[in-house]
Amino acid sequence: MTTKLYSPKESGEPMKLAIFMSGSGSNAQKIIERYLTLRDTSSEGEHASFEPVVIFTDEKTSNARRIAQLDYVDRNFQPAYLCNPIGEFYEERGDLTCRDKAIRAEYDTQQADMLRSMGVDAVALAGYDWVVTPAICSRFLTVNVHPGELCAKKANGKPAYAGLGWIPNAKAILAGEKQVHTTVHIVTAGLDEGPILATSDPILVPEEALALERRVLG
């Protein structure tokens, strides 16, 4: 049985997408390149099914501003750029650890309100370094590119290789996995527990890493 994730607008307009990123933006660029390819190759009367309309970042030093305002100007594409430094947001509220869940929800609510005002329909987390709260994922269809394999489960049913950045694949290598993957999934309130949409082709782990005698899985 197929479940429709998004119903097209009666107006025929493409789904408006917000891209969240924190660093280099390589995943964000892949999404934009895909959009531009669809846009530029669509026949008369057709159009791309989605359009990135805003790039959001939590980090001033990320490449988000460059990607949004400079990289694609010659291709007649320039999405909005939004930056809300999360460290400053927490510091203003007296938390230097960035762990208070109530503040995180407040932070996400601020972004969600802005996205609503821009008519955004969906969010793509493309190298975004923070777990989003229901303030985002319950208000928008939210999809994440997870840097690891999410099909593998612990005894309690939780993902065996959850986490951000290099952590998921480090866990897999420490567990003796011979190959690693990237997973695309729908974001829910549970960390990395949403429905899986796709898993990448495997990347083989070098034999020298598998042979390490001091591999320890904590």
Side-chain angles (χ1 to χ4, degrees), residues 13 15 73 86 91 116 181 184 187 196 198 203 205:
E13 294 179 359
M15 177 180 70
V73 173
I86 194 168
E91 185 176 357
R116 280 292 189 213
H181 303 261
V184 178
V187 178
I196 294 173
I203 297 176
V205 177

Side-chain angles (χ1 to χ4, degrees), residues 103-202:
I103 295 177
R104 180 70 56 79
E106 180 187 355
Y107 178 80
D108 280 355
T109 297
Q110 211 172 81
Q111 271 65 258
D113 290 343
M114 285 190 290
L115 298 183
R116 280 292 189 213
S117 70
M118 301 173 75
V120 166
D121 301 302
V123 173
L125 306 181
Y128 186 61
D129 288 345
W130 300 90
V131 176
V132 297
T133 66
I136 294 290
C137 64
S138 67
R139 295 175 68 179
F140 304 91
L141 169 63
T142 305
V143 177
N144 180 48
V145 180
H146 176 76
E149 167 66 78
L150 287 179
C151 292
K153 304 293 184 181
K154 297 179 181 179
N156 62 4
K158 300 288 187 179
Y161 307 133
L164 299 171
W166 53 268
I167 293 175
N169 283 331
K171 288 180 178 178
I173 293 171
L174 290 172
E177 299 285 358
K178 296 183 178 180
Q179 56 189 30
V180 295
H181 303 261
T182 294
T183 308
V184 178
H185 69 102
I186 296 174
V187 178
T188 61
L191 177 62
D192 297 332
E193 295 179 16
I196 294 173
L197 301 178
T199 301
S200 71
D201 292 335

